[in-house]
Amino acid sequence: MVIGTGYVGLVQGACLASQGHQVTCVDIDEAKVQSLRAAKVPFFEEGLEALVGEGIASGNLQFALGAEEGFSQLTPEVIFLAVGTPTGADGSADLLIFESAVKSLIPHLAPDMVLVEKSTVPAGTGKKVKAWLGRNDIAVASNPEFLREGTAVSDFLQPDRIVIGTDDDATAETLKNVYAWSDAPILAMNRESAELAKYAANTMLAARLSLMNEIANIADLIGANISEIETAVGADPRIGSKFLRTGAGFGGSCFPKDVLALEQTGRELGYDSRLIRPIIEVNTRQAEVFVDKVRAAYGDLTGVKLAVWGLAFNAKTDDTRESPAMRIIGLLLDAGAVISVHDPAAMDEARKGLGDGVVYGKDQWEILDGAQGLLVLTEWDQFLQADFGRVMSTLEQPLVFDGKHALPAEALRGLGLKVIGIGI
Ligand code: NAD
């Protein structure tokens, strides 16, 4: 059983069903459950809708509104908790939704069921779950999820590693059986280590990005090229070449919240980290650094018409949570710019945050008419591989701002476009 049918829970449920497990996915959002029963996924994740359809057709995948209905459909051996754990007022992970989900299960639990933290929860949460349950015959394990939105289905089905956190051999065996279809290494450890490993991974990745952005900002001041620096640094096998890409900052529902939550976990344990919070501070400032570049190109932004390609925080997702694009658009609107936007998947999500403040283009080309510059803020293929000759002939001024450091800058320059980014 999977509790919560968001980006993580639905991927988990549909993928496990595709591997032959009997799965009931539970949610408390009635519209979502109805939509899923009709094999319609209410958010965009490549390959997921097809997998949900196949799961329903095979009889392996069912959906339930609330725990009671879920347990009437299935007596699960394993229950994955995959509800949201947003940032609380002090930066810690707010566990209210998670706690409420755990408590909704209590009347239905039977001895020897295994409850698994799939949600990202602070180290020590397993102990709290045990206390909420108030009984010892239910095992509580951690099995953090490392998938990335945009490639979630393939990440889940071909993981680098599967982390299982429990002190109990029988529980570890049960969870290994859930993943028997995978040949990924299983890393078994105690529950606290597994809980902390998820935060460590996200914080490490976020730190690399922020550190490279700091270097890119310095590179700009001295006329160095961050692409060349990235290649030189990434060639060191101790460092590796992944996750060094600079730009206007990272986003998404996980990195910012998990980094802050790790800092707060340390604080609650009496440890004052000096390194963790600046990862987020640098990232937040990076959007401002990027907007400063736009401002510098025009002087005053009042009335300047700018087209934006990309709203989601990653390509191949419609998720705009903490998206740098949304932050940058907000800053540009505050500065008086007139913004038109297009994203192949995230228009509806973006509308919730931007309202009527911008013009929504039905395709990426119509918003270029009359625009004095183009900002590329999500690395969708259709943007990176666009016909930039057409961009050049349509824009009123030949200015392209690359917020992801992903455009073929030399080729664009060859067409007469000026490419402006951070560190380039
Ligand atoms: P989400 O907000 O997309 O989905 C959460 C779902 O849980 C929603 O559909 C909500 O209606 C449902 N829900 C809330 N309370 C419930 C309850 N009591 N019973 C049943 N369903 C309930 O969240 P998400 O992005 O899938 O993230 C879930 C967890 O996984 C978080 O802890 C997150 O940090 C972690 N995580 C997310 C990602 C990611 O890329 N999104 C990756 C790894 C880990």
Side-chain angles (χ1 to χ4, degrees):
M1 182 175 288
V2 181
I3 310 299
T5 61
Y7 291 87
V8 166
L10 189 59
V11 169
Q12 163 106 8
C15 287
L16 290 183
S18 78
Q19 299 305 318
H21 290 297
Q22 279 290 322
V23 183
T24 287
C25 286
V26 176
D27 209 295
I28 51 171
D29 180 334
E30 191 170 354
K32 209 173 207 179
V33 171
Q34 271 174 8
S35 167
L36 289 169
R37 280 183 178 142
K40 282 261 148 256
V41 174
F43 55 87
F44 180 76
E45 183 61 49
E46 207 165 57
L48 185 55
E49 196 158 90
L51 212 56
V52 167
E54 284 164 28
I56 294 171
S58 71
N60 283 351
L61 184 60
Q62 287 182 287
F63 294 96
L65 181 61
E68 187 167 350
E69 190 178 43
F71 281 87
S72 74
Q73 290 178 4
L74 183 79
T75 304
E77 286 170 67
V78 181
I79 305 163
F80 289 95
L81 290 150
V83 299
T85 48
T87 303
D90 59 359
S92 64
D94 181 343
L95 291 180
L96 278 178
I97 299 170
F98 185 80
E99 179 177 353
S100 150
V102 171
K103 290 185 172 166
S104 74
L105 303 174
I106 289 176
H108 312 287
L109 294 174
D112 298 328
M113 286 180 179
V114 177
L115 205 52
V116 184
E117 301 163 339
K118 188 50 114 171
S119 302
T120 303
V121 289
T125 301
K127 281 203 184 79
K128 290 184 183 166
V129 175
K130 280 264 181 202
W132 297 332
L133 294 178
R135 56 194 280 183
N136 275 326
D137 55 354
I138 306 288
V140 177
S142 165
N143 170 222
E145 183 51 59
F146 298 98
L147 65 76
R148 183 172 185 259
E149 285 175 31
T151 51
V153 171
S154 56
D155 287 351
F156 190 90
L157 291 175
Q158 287 117 37
D160 308 313
R161 75 293 207 197
I162 295 166
V163 172
I164 291 177
T166 173
D167 286 331
D168 175 39
D169 290 345
T171 303
E173 269 320 298
T174 303
L175 276 174
K176 283 179 190 168
N177 285 337
V178 171
Y179 292 106
W181 46 271
S182 172
D183 54 13
I186 302 246
L187 308 180
M189 55 191 75
N190 75 18
R191 199 172 52 213
E192 286 74 16
S193 301
E195 291 167 335
L196 198 53
K198 170 66 190 174
Y199 286 95
N202 274 359
T203 303
M204 188 76 73
L205 292 169
R208 283 170 75 96
L209 296 176
S210 275
L211 189 53
M212 278 305 277
N213 273 331
E214 291 270 64
I215 295 165
N217 294 340
I218 295 169
D220 261 342
L221 297 173
I222 198 163
N225 181 333
I226 195 66
S227 300
E228 290 163 4
I229 298 168
E230 185 186 323
T231 309
V233 169
D236 185 331
R238 294 170 302 177
I239 298 172
S241 59
K242 291 192 178 151
F243 256 76
L244 296 176
R245 189 57 56 85
T246 54
F250 57 75
S253 66
C254 291
F255 281 8
K257 99 177 158 64
D258 292 349
V259 172
L260 288 176
L262 178 61
E263 186 201 34
Q264 189 60 23
T265 297
R267 192 169 293 137
E268 282 165 16
L269 295 167
Y271 182 74
D272 185 16
S273 162
R274 303 292 163 87
L275 193 55
I276 296 178
R277 180 166 289 260
I279 296 170
I280 295 303
E281 289 167 352
V282 167
N283 188 55
T284 306
R285 192 183 59 180
Q286 204 62 11
E288 294 159 21
V289 172
F290 186 73
V291 169
D292 284 345
K293 299 247 174 199
V294 182
R295 194 181 278 114
Y298 298 96
D300 183 2
L301 282 175
T302 311
V304 173
K305 291 184 180 158
L306 297 170
V308 173
W309 284 358
L311 300 163
F313 84 98
N314 253 357
K316 299 185 188 169
T317 177
D318 62 355
D319 198 345
T320 58
R321 289 180 285 185
E322 301 283 335
S323 169
M326 301 291 280
R327 205 156 50 229
I328 288 164
I329 291 168
L331 292 169
L332 292 170
L333 289 172
D334 288 348
V338 179
I339 306 289
S340 48
V341 299
H342 181 73
D343 186 289
M347 298 287 263
D348 290 342
E349 283 305 307
R351 214 180 282 268
K352 292 178 193 165
L354 298 173
D356 295 331
V358 301
V359 175
Y360 299 89
K362 68 176 182 330
D363 69 47
Q364 73 196 73
W365 296 107
E366 82 171 22
I367 61 172
L368 295 191
D369 281 328
Q372 291 160 267
L374 167 65
L375 282 70
V376 180
L377 300 181
T378 311
E379 63 276 57
W380 287 94
D381 285 346
Q382 69 188 70
F383 300 154
L384 305 187
Q385 293 157 20
D387 174 356
F388 281 95
R390 184 171 170 191
V391 172
M392 175 68 195
S393 59
T394 314
L395 283 177
E396 299 225 327
Q397 292 178 32
L399 295 177
V400 177
F401 300 89
D402 184 357
K404 288 289 178 180
H405 202 170
L407 293 173
E410 277 312 312
L412 268 61
R413 285 190 195 110
L415 295 165
L417 288 162
K418 186 168 181 194
V419 183
I420 299 171
I422 294 170
I424 53 173

